[in-house]
Amino acid sequence: MFGDMMGMMGKLKETQKKVEETKNRMTTVLIDEKSSDDLLNVTVTADRSIKKIDIADELLADKEQLEDYLIVTLNKALSRASDIYDKEVAAVASEGMPNIPGMDMFK
């Protein structure tokens, strides 16, 4: 029984390392999102960091319209980033979790 516990602890430490590696990798995964008319393009990382914003000149004339475009487009990009991040981290974490009844928190 003690050997099983040591094996589980080793597996948990290995899983923790893989989760951290996955989180670090998410800083390099880029998500591009654009407005429906291509007047605004944004790039964010899967860990939800804004990397780039391209704004068409015609949007610069109307502050309120630009703000609306930024809100909608950034929210879409950040939502996609969150989905990717959550799925990737959960997949790695669930691979290494020991099979403990009632502990199916990643499914």
Side-chain angles (χ1 to χ4, degrees), residues 43-56:
T43 301
V44 299
T45 61
D47 72 335
R48 298 171 294 276
S49 177
I50 299 168
K51 290 295 183 180
K52 184 177 175 184
I53 298 175
D54 289 320
I55 303 169

Side-chain angles (χ1 to χ4, degrees), residues 84-98:
I84 291 169
Y85 184 92
D86 293 345
K87 286 177 186 173
E88 290 289 323
V89 171
V92 171
S94 67
E95 286 176 10
M97 292 298 291

Side-chain angles (χ1 to χ4, degrees), residues 36-48:
S36 59
D37 55 8
D38 287 336
L39 294 178
L40 179 70
N41 295 294
V42 299
T43 301
V44 299
T45 61
D47 72 335
R48 298 171 294 276

Side-chain angles (χ1 to χ4, degrees), residues 48-66:
R48 298 171 294 276
S49 177
I50 299 168
K51 290 295 183 180
K52 184 177 175 184
I53 298 175
D54 289 320
I55 303 169
D57 290 339
E58 61 192 84
L59 281 178
L60 297 176
D62 185 344
K63 181 181 182 276
E64 189 173 313
Q65 182 183 21
L66 174 56

Side-chain angles (χ1 to χ4, degrees), residues 33 35 40 66-77:
E33 188 65 53
S35 61
L40 179 70
L66 174 56
E67 290 170 346
D68 291 343
Y69 270 67
L70 284 167
I71 290 168
V72 169
T73 307
L74 283 169
N75 278 333
K76 284 178 17 182

